[in-house]
Amino acid sequence: MGRAHSNAWLQAPHFFDLPRTPVLKVACGRHEASLKEFAQKWGWEETETDWKKLVTRPDIDIIDIALPQHLHYEIAIAAAKAGKHIFCEKPLAMNSQQAEEMLRVCEDNKVTHYLNHNYRRVPAIAFAKKLIKEGQLGRIFHWRGAYQQDWIVDPEFPLTWQLRKETAQAGPQWDLNSHSLDLAQYLVGDIKSVSCLTTNFIKERPLADETTSGNLSAEAKTGETGEVTVEDAALMLVEFENGAIGSFEATRFATGRKNHNTFEIYGSKGSLTFDLENMNELLFYSNSDPAGLQGFRKILTTDALHPYVQNWWPAGHIIGYEHTFVHAVVDFIKAIAENKTVEPNFHDGLKIIKVLEAGLQSAATGQKIILKNN
Amino acid sequence: MGRAHSNAWLQAPHFFDLPRTPVLKVACGRHEASLKEFAQKWGWEETETDWKKLVTRPDIDIIDIALPQHLHYEIAIAAAKAGKHIFCEKPLAMNSQQAEEMLRVCEDNKVTHYLNHNYRRVPAIAFAKKLIKEGQLGRIFHWRGAYQQDWIVDPEFPLTWQLRKETAQAGPQWDLNSHSLDLAQYLVGDIKSVSCLTTNFIKERPLADETTSGNLSAEAKTGETGEVTVEDAALMLVEFENGAIGSFEATRFATGRKNHNTFEIYGSKGSLTFDLENMNELLFYSNSDPAGLQGFRKILTTDALHPYVQNWWPAGHIIGYEHTFVHAVVDFIKAIAENKTVEPNFHDGLKIIKVLEAGLQSAATGQKIILKNN
Amino acid sequence: MGRAHSNAWLQAPHFFDLPRTPVLKVACGRHEASLKEFAQKWGWEETETDWKKLVTRPDIDIIDIALPQHLHYEIAIAAAKAGKHIFCEKPLAMNSQQAEEMLRVCEDNKVTHYLNHNYRRVPAIAFAKKLIKEGQLGRIFHWRGAYQQDWIVDPEFPLTWQLRKETAQAGPQWDLNSHSLDLAQYLVGDIKSVSCLTTNFIKERPLADETTSGNLSAEAKTGETGEVTVEDAALMLVEFENGAIGSFEATRFATGRKNHNTFEIYGSKGSLTFDLENMNELLFYSNSDPAGLQGFRKILTTDALHPYVQNWWPAGHIIGYEHTFVHAVVDFIKAIAENKTVEPNFHDGLKIIKVLEAGLQSAATGQKIILKNN
Amino acid sequence: MGRAHSNAWLQAPHFFDLPRTPVLKVACGRHEASLKEFAQKWGWEETETDWKKLVTRPDIDIIDIALPQHLHYEIAIAAAKAGKHIFCEKPLAMNSQQAEEMLRVCEDNKVTHYLNHNYRRVPAIAFAKKLIKEGQLGRIFHWRGAYQQDWIVDPEFPLTWQLRKETAQAGPQWDLNSHSLDLAQYLVGDIKSVSCLTTNFIKERPLADETTSGNLSAEAKTGETGEVTVEDAALMLVEFENGAIGSFEATRFATGRKNHNTFEIYGSKGSLTFDLENMNELLFYSNSDPAGLQGFRKILTTDALHPYVQNWWPAGHIIGYEHTFVHAVVDFIKAIAENKTVEPNFHDGLKIIKVLEAGLQSAATGQKIILKNN
């Protein structure tokens, strides 16, 4: 994540005209040696191991929080109170109480807050939003999403921080469904009820070596095992406020799926499908096409008129994963310069966490949960 | 359906060696004129408009019920009591009480009963079953199924029998999820709990002209409207007895999807995906492939060693929808000749209806339903 | 082929309204025992091992020639002279002299002649023709076709009749490029020049057992080997009369391709692509779609308004290989009844053979060949 | 191209460990104002409008030639004579005489020369090379390549430098087939004969405004027209030294294709297909897979063990077009540091141009051309 963020700050001014040029001032991390090496590689001017010193420095305008979710709350609150604009990794927080306070403190201190659900800035998805807004799908009936990975199918994969409740709060519900929910809220609308099913396929795993905790390598084991305290898969059925219904499927046990973030949206006039592993394409079906000529058309979203694309390469030359971070930085800097909000932000993040929490509650009780105050 | 069934009885002996040759004895229907024309076209020896006369005839061995579900129960019971073997369209019945009695009477009368969830006999699906049985997928984690159509997206589509509870019992839950459940039970196993969400997108529709009731043509309207009394879409989350979890999505409002019956199955050793609109292909991913060389491979299931295929054409020459009916007839006739059971049968149909009913109960109450006696 | 043809004659009246009903009068073949079994299975009234007796029988209207190409000429000439209508398998003949005479005798005797390049009657291809005729592609620039198979990659595959010049005349040039040329002439237009490259990858093969010559089974070997006297692969570049250019690639050495008959057509207004292994789909790109929304759309050609489809199943229910033979029989019978020509016929076959011959001449000389009198 | 190259020099040290760190010393161009802006954006230390001054500066080690082909020769010769290492855009030169001299002078002066056929460094293609080298395809039978674009289908597109012989030498033969030939030579081997067909679909075009010559914008017109003096499409059939045969199809008139660089390779043991518009995937078919389980498997080449990938993102996170330039810079710098050659280089470029020239000669004469001294 440090690399993806550093890259975004560096690349944004190369490819886009920005109202302000970001300066890579201070890189912050726990391990001084590796931090120094990292900072040098990417051109960070300084390093710091104590974020508290950093967060109040007057020569810092932006705090970029690229850390696991259990570390967001304290830093974001301190940064907002110090008047810093915040670029925060997702999921926003450990629970809705944290998220609410983070949002409130940001608003009280009038800082620009951005939550990095970066997939909104895949050109194909930003273009999907445009099509929906123009009414090309008509009334939306269905959202069918899935975010499937397979990195812990092996039972010898160790008990990293992502698999423990105290550091991750939840499993794919937090990590993956948060992404899908952000897209669903962005493209379809707010959610009013949720039913959820979670399960664990593997309940005990080798302990990860303390010194490499956070390392996903299967080599890091001590011989002992510990309990997996988050779910392995989380499935949700939802009702949207606008009458559409939706399904979500998040799992780390879909053998063969690496970063398979997909959705289908069906409306009265047309439909869309998307797959992140093929992120330069958007499939679009239109009832308005002549009879007999209707079909899902594969739009290669690499034309100059697709969002963000004219700043990259000619048609047919694809972009990749890290470009979404660059787009996020571009929009974030513009928002700061123009004193506007940018989306998604902590408001969106709070709404997402409320649905995620309701989902876990539904899974625990077997009850459909109606969301309040949404 | 009359055509698909007639075709299957005729084609089975052309392409397969059968222990008995079916004779197209009597075609039964309501409208004498069209029935006679139909019988002549397909070579049925006689016609009959009163099924009660037919069902006890001593020169009849098999009753093929190709009718809407509200007409299955009475005919099946009578046929079974008369000692006839039964080839019955799906879904089996209007409710589990009917289904239970149909099963019991068939068993009491020792007749062969077959329920035509024909998609089990798509070569790709029969081959999927073989792979799973051999253990090529290992422990199964996920079933992700969807059966999507779009034939009633137009609000002017009339209120045909499929949209009224008294003739159809339910909408896609009965019509489409029954198919998906049959495949899920066949490929993954029995289901122990279900959560379900249903909705209606269009609540009133033009009345269909009485004389053409059952006709899907949008032309048949009287000017008046009536209430749609079945759901437009039905989504389910399930737990399987073996620890896998699954999702189902059945809808008639997926614009652009015509007969889009798909599933994904993820296991500890491999995965499979299938799409009925491309039914000669099966996608298979194996963890056993060398690292770096892993990927979903598109198996064109047209080789002689894929189930049923050696009786058709050389490799690369695809088959279509009606071939599944031919395969069903082949296996049904063999079962009768060998005095064995054939699957799926009324036992499978009863299990399916129990899940479908639990689904509707869950949708009505917002509660996860635990299945009993399964 | 006997099965595919018998099936077509039987199925045509089941699914289509025909002006005349075909009668399966006499099945003709060399081996009496297997012929009798075959005739019984398919309902042929009689059998005959001497085609000369058959061809002049007054109770026969149609001669269906489903034999290797070296047997077409003599039978077709005799049948035409006896005033029989002819349904002939492709490729038409061994050379253009035979083809010219076959055409002339048919015309002199005013019989209906049909050459079974059945792929014209794939609904997707017939629909492609309609789109091109309507001008949806504008001026055509490119034909890019390939017909790839892999059934003789194994060097132990025996020297069957298809691999010997005296029975086959040529390899994939005759067998596969004839199909592709028929489609190219149908969809793009006549050809005015050809450059060709052929090669042999395997020059000697085990002799097939005499008694099973024509059998593709790798088991049939005598221990001796013989020379492969036809090419293994044939590639062509062509100029069309209308200014388009085209490429053809026919091979039996494309490992993994079973019956991979594909083409791409690019025009000033739009483009089409097709793949026979997925024959219910046609991909269409239109410059007329709004900017940003352009893309290849996958048309599932299973709607009632796609050619031939309304006689089969509802949208989304696919058809297969043998259906193209049924469509051919339907159009052939209609042509006879209406005293019209049907296409493709011996005229088309002659044009195809002239290009194929020019191709072989080009391959032998390294020269581009200009076609005459086309 | 300036952006793609600048980006590569900047990004290489961020993501890869390099033996030397490139310094962006001097940006060279014709228009001082836009050059200065460009240099500032990308961090070039200085600017220069006279390449002759630049090429002999002692503080310069590398000359990166990112210019149209008619400008390569003079600069490369001068740079090599000055002892500079050369990173040169493709196609190498205007003809084989230039190319031969460029190669000779580089060798005489012992400078490292690299020709930027960047697609060799798509991970999927580098991985394809590895598979072929390991023998996973066995003996190769077929190369089937195409490089299709559609940027000049509109007859109003102006007569830019790419469409004039004096600046471009040829059309897609030079621009696109050079890329395909590089891949074919890399993956299959050297070529021994070529037959070629070229054509022009549009013979006159609006003159481009002098001041924006080189600009692809359709707006730049003077009202007058000029002759298109390069071909619009170029098709080739080739024989490889190793007995394989191949086809190439390069065009700017394939409506709907933006940067559609594809190939299929068929061998005795397996096959590969690739499509640049989907460049993170490689399709692989293996005869070694168990019978019934064979199929083209879609390898998502984003695993750490795929070439270059471990330096980017986790599995399933794709990379794009510009990454191939980064890989090229990495390998070029390593070659310089280790005093080794890097491929492709001017030797490869010379071989490519000899085939391209033979192709044009074949197109002009209608004769197959045998290549000498290859």
Side-chain angles (χ1 to χ4, degrees), chain B residues 173-190:
Chain B
Q173 176 77 344
W174 234 247
D175 184 21
L176 305 180
N177 268 339
S178 63
H179 266 315
S180 297
L181 272 168
D182 181 61
L183 295 181
Q185 291 184 170
Y186 176 53
L187 296 170
V188 180
D190 285 345

Side-chain angles (χ1 to χ4, degrees), chain D residues 80-198:
Chain D
K81 286 184 174 166
K84 309 307 183 196
H85 304 300
I86 303 174
F87 187 106
C88 186
E89 260 309 315
K90 44 63 59 181
L92 180 55
M94 293 291 274
N95 52 57
S96 55
Q97 287 70 31
Q98 286 189 350
E100 261 171 12
E101 192 176 342
M102 289 161 78
L103 171 60
R104 189 178 47 75
V105 176
C106 281
E107 286 181 341
D108 288 352
N109 289 278
K110 296 190 169 41
V111 303
T112 300
H113 44 100
Y114 166 76
L115 179 65
N116 192 31
H117 284 295
N118 55 312
Y119 298 136
R120 283 203 193 188
R121 287 177 167 82
V122 171
I125 292 179
F127 188 62
K129 174 69 178 178
K130 181 172 170 286
L131 295 181
I132 290 169
K133 222 170 158 180
E134 288 171 5
Q136 303 241 24
L137 263 59
R139 172 186 172 190
I140 292 179
F141 300 129
H142 288 284
W143 163 275
R144 184 173 188 245
Y147 202 144
Q148 299 159 315
Q149 301 181 333
D150 70 356
W151 54 282
I152 59 172
V153 166
D154 183 353
E156 293 305 306
F157 187 92
L159 193 68
T160 58
W161 72 264
Q162 294 99 330
L163 307 186
R164 292 187 292 131
K165 185 170 168 53
E166 63 269 28
T167 41
Q169 178 65 305
Q173 175 78 343
W174 234 247
D175 184 20
L176 305 180
N177 267 339
S178 63
H179 266 314
S180 297
L181 272 168
D182 181 62
L183 294 181
Q185 290 186 170
Y186 177 53
L187 296 170
V188 181
D190 284 346
I191 285 165
K192 79 170 179 211
S193 82
V194 57
S195 301
C196 181
L197 175 66
T198 62

Side-chain angles (χ1 to χ4, degrees), chain B residues 97-146:
Chain B
Q97 287 71 33
Q98 286 188 350
E100 261 171 11
E101 193 177 340
M102 287 161 79
L103 172 59
R104 189 177 49 72
V105 175
C106 282
E107 287 182 340
D108 289 352
N109 289 278
K110 297 190 168 40
V111 302
T112 299
H113 44 100
Y114 167 76
L115 180 64
N116 191 31
H117 284 296
N118 55 311
Y119 298 135
R120 282 200 193 192
R121 287 178 167 82
V122 171
I125 292 180
F127 189 60
K129 173 69 178 180
K130 180 172 169 286
L131 295 180
I132 290 169
K133 222 170 158 180
E134 287 171 7
Q136 302 241 25
L137 264 59
R139 173 187 170 191
I140 293 179
F141 300 130
H142 287 284
W143 163 275
R144 184 173 187 243

Side-chain angles (χ1 to χ4, degrees), chain A residues 29-49:
Chain A
R30 282 181 301 178
H31 304 103
E32 193 153 5
S34 61
L35 179 63
K36 287 227 179 287
E37 192 185 347
F38 174 82
Q40 193 183 1
K41 193 150 197 131
W42 288 95
W44 291 91
E45 296 182 2
E46 303 172 33
T47 61
E48 174 59 76
T49 54

Side-chain angles (χ1 to χ4, degrees), chain C residues 4 71 120 125 172 215 250 304 341 346 355 371 373:
Chain C
L71 302 170
R120 283 203 194 190
I125 292 179
N215 190 333
T341 58
F346 289 7
V355 179
L371 289 155
N373 314 319

Side-chain angles (χ1 to χ4, degrees), chain C residues 18-136:
Chain C
L18 298 179
R20 309 265 175 87
T21 302
V23 178
L24 279 67
K25 202 76 189 171
V26 190
C28 186
R30 282 181 300 177
H31 304 103
E32 192 153 7
S34 60
L35 178 64
K36 287 226 179 290
E37 193 185 348
F38 174 81
Q40 191 183 3
K41 192 149 197 134
W42 288 94
W44 291 91
E45 294 181 3
E46 304 171 33
T47 62
E48 174 61 75
T49 54
D50 180 358
W51 65 264
K52 284 173 188 169
K53 286 186 195 156
L54 186 63
V55 91
T56 50
R57 273 176 59 158
D59 58 346
I60 299 277
D61 298 311
I62 292 166
I63 298 293
D64 177 348
I65 306 174
L67 290 165
Q69 51 263 33
H70 68 104
L71 302 170
H72 291 186
Y73 170 74
E74 197 183 1
I75 300 176
I77 295 287
K81 286 184 174 166
K84 309 306 183 195
H85 305 300
I86 303 174
F87 187 106
C88 185
E89 259 311 315
K90 43 65 59 180
L92 179 55
M94 293 291 274
N95 52 56
S96 55
Q97 286 71 32
Q98 285 189 350
E100 261 170 13
E101 193 177 342
M102 288 161 78
L103 172 59
R104 189 177 49 72
V105 176
C106 282
E107 287 181 341
D108 288 350
N109 290 277
K110 296 189 168 40
V111 303
T112 299
H113 44 100
Y114 167 76
L115 179 65
N116 192 32
H117 285 296
N118 55 311
Y119 297 135
R120 283 203 194 190
R121 288 178 166 81
V122 171
I125 292 179
F127 189 61
K129 173 69 178 178
K130 181 173 170 284
L131 295 181
I132 290 169
K133 223 171 159 179
E134 288 171 5
Q136 303 242 23

